[in-house]
Amino acid sequence: MVDGWTDKRQRTLINFLVNSPKGTVFLESVDASEYAKTEEKMVELIEGVINKIGGENVVQVISDNASNMVLAGHCIDLMLEDIGKLPRIKNTLKQAMSVTAYVYVRPGVVNMLRSFTDQKELCRVGVTRFATAFLTLQRMLELKPNLRTMFSSEQWTQSKWSKELDGKKVARIIISVKFWNSVVYILKIYRPLVHVLRLVDGEQKPAMGYIYEAMDRAKEAIAKVFDKEEDYKEAFEIIDRRWDCQLHKPLHAAGFFLNPQFFYNLAEGEVDKEVSTGFYEAVLKLIPDVGEQEKVYTQLSTYRHGDGMFGTPVAVRLRDSQPSAIWWENFGSNTPDLRSFAIKVLSLTCSSSDCERNWSIFENFMSKEEIG
């Protein structure tokens, strides 16, 4: 895992961490101020770390920004950001930002807001995570009656703020039917994607076995809430473009294939070509030895047909509830080579949540020489 950050002395530092089924550990930090934007140097740095760990022990490299190894959470956030640039959505987000910005720089208006909302706050729209925009719009819609009552009340109309140009603009936004219709429209698109973002960033369980299905379900959920395809066509084009070029990898297809919750819910012969191809590509990449590959393929039929331990009543009951990697550990004894491969894939992280932290704490312990 590769994560960049800037310390108080404006140095660009690159942190390297190692993730495994047992957790994530910090490996080292490098002062990359002079070459952080140089692709060749970054490749050299990463190759050096891989050599230290041992190439045979590395399954994937994930980063917070490199397009060829982007994190799932970052990719979905980029989907939200790109969708947020569509004219109709961009304008509504801008209006929502203007409302929260206006309110929260005026203590008197904040107090008035709280009196009308039973002390509930409006979330502020952030600039680094467009999921924050979703939270703001969701809260605004929840408080719509309160906000409209406030900006129509005598308390507001007799206040000095109602006479200000910006105050009048904010009041018009809150009263506008068009604004609220657009908020509902945006939430219909954002809600399923934010659900996927929470899945991969929450990391309560490794998301590799779930991300493929989660993206399919997100698109189905978006399509279901609209009457016409043209209402979500542009958003789908953005989702597909980001998914295909940055996130859709053989590992994600293999994770879906090896997740018993999804695999055994497919009808006989329903595994599509994309999933099967992804699984076999992952095997070829992660198991270079031809003999070991053949062992995995030979054992595959046992899993496909739910034979051996896979078909026991307890294994069947736990398909949907037990984390997939643990399920394989518990019930894959009849297919030891396939089990080893499955656990390796299903234990992979899709998130940078373990390294997205306030790294500046290290400044209290590490000098420039220690970092460099």
Side-chain angles (χ1 to χ4, degrees), residues 283-284 287-298:
V283 171
L284 292 175
I287 307 177
D289 183 85
V290 176
E292 294 300 317
Q293 291 174 10
E294 291 177 355
K295 291 180 182 179
V296 169
Y297 296 144
T298 300

Side-chain angles (χ1 to χ4, degrees), residues 207-362:
M208 186 59 74
Y210 300 89
I211 182 66
Y212 189 97
E213 176 71 4
M215 284 304 304
D216 276 353
R217 289 186 179 182
K219 291 182 65 176
E220 290 173 2
I222 292 171
K224 188 176 181 179
V225 295
F226 289 104
D227 296 325
K228 298 179 293 184
E229 183 180 350
E230 62 187 70
D231 289 335
Y232 59 85
K233 183 178 179 181
E234 288 183 300
F236 267 29
E237 290 174 353
I238 291 170
I239 292 169
D240 290 341
R241 185 169 62 249
R242 286 288 184 185
W243 169 253
D244 290 338
C245 76
Q246 289 188 305
L247 190 57
H248 186 197
K249 305 296 181 185
L251 279 174
H252 300 119
F256 173 87
F257 185 92
L258 294 167
N259 189 327
Q261 178 181 347
F262 305 133
F263 182 82
Y264 288 116
N265 281 325
L266 297 173
E268 185 70 26
E270 198 179 282
V271 178
D272 62 33
K273 181 180 179 181
E274 184 178 78
V275 171
S276 297
T277 301
F279 170 77
Y280 284 107
E281 287 181 3
V283 171
L284 292 175
K285 285 187 176 182
L286 299 182
I287 307 177
D289 183 85
V290 176
E292 294 300 317
Q293 291 174 10
E294 291 177 355
K295 291 180 182 179
V296 169
Y297 296 144
T298 300
Q299 296 167 13
L300 195 56
S301 62
T302 303
Y303 172 60
R304 281 184 178 275
H305 298 111
D307 294 335
M309 288 291 290
F310 296 130
T312 60
V314 64
V316 173
R317 288 198 305 271
L318 292 175
R319 286 172 182 172
D320 294 343
S321 59
Q322 193 168 66
S324 50
I326 296 176
W327 185 88
W328 273 92
E329 184 176 353
N330 290 336
F331 306 111
S333 57
N334 297 123
T335 57
D337 301 286
L338 180 58
R339 176 175 65 174
S340 178
F341 175 74
I343 292 173
K344 179 182 290 186
V345 171
L346 296 169
S347 298
L348 292 173
T349 183
C350 288
S351 170
S352 62
S353 57
D354 284 317
C355 56
E356 286 182 348
R357 63 191 70 185
N358 185 5
W359 288 109
S360 60
I361 191 171
F362 285 101

